Amino acid sequence: MQGYDSVALKADVELGGTDQKFNLLVGRHLQEAFGQEPQIVLTMPLLEGLDGVNKMSKSLGNYVAIADAPELMFGKLMSISDELMWRYFELLSFKPSPRLPR
């Protein structure tokens, strides 16, 4: 049922995390079954949350909310490990990864 939203929305493109790949592909299959052009599926790697282990998630409480006060965002981001900071830089920056030793 999760892939049916692609049919209901008649989606052309759908973006999701790599954990949603199966649902997105099922959406394509269902669109074909309903006579629709199958959508283009784009997946992005998951960003680890502030705990550095699980994906960033509100339900896990390891996230930075877009509506958080700037001071709170700063504090949360300063709490992540140096190692995880490279992953954040890679996924959240529009700049190429710097060639610095890790």
Side-chain angles (χ1 to χ4, degrees):
M1 289 304 293
Q2 195 148 6
Y4 184 76
D5 59 347
S6 302
V7 174
L9 294 172
K10 298 180 181 171
D12 294 323
V13 178
E14 202 165 349
L15 172 68
T18 51
D19 62 332
Q20 293 296 310
K21 183 177 178 182
F22 177 78
N23 293 333
L24 297 169
L25 293 176
V26 167
R28 283 178 53 90
H29 177 75
L30 289 172
Q31 285 178 313
E32 286 182 311
F34 279 83
Q36 297 177 10
E37 186 76 23
Q39 66 190 0
I40 294 169
V41 170
L42 300 170
T43 59
M44 293 292 295
L46 296 178
L47 180 64
E48 292 84 355
L50 300 173
D51 61 9
V53 178
N54 298 302
K55 69 179 182 178
M56 188 176 281
S57 167
K58 185 176 182 180
S59 60
L60 294 174
N62 65 354
Y63 71 106
V64 179
I66 199 161
D68 280 346
E71 300 82 13
L72 183 56
M73 285 184 189
F74 180 79
K76 286 180 177 181
L77 291 171
M78 289 303 291
S79 75
I80 65 173
S81 70
D82 291 344
E83 185 63 32
L84 186 58
M85 184 57 72
W86 290 108
R87 180 82 169 146
Y88 276 52
F89 184 87
E90 176 186 6
L91 294 178
L92 302 175
S93 173
F94 293 110
K95 303 218 179 265
S97 184
R99 297 186 183 268
L100 299 174
R102 295 188 187 182

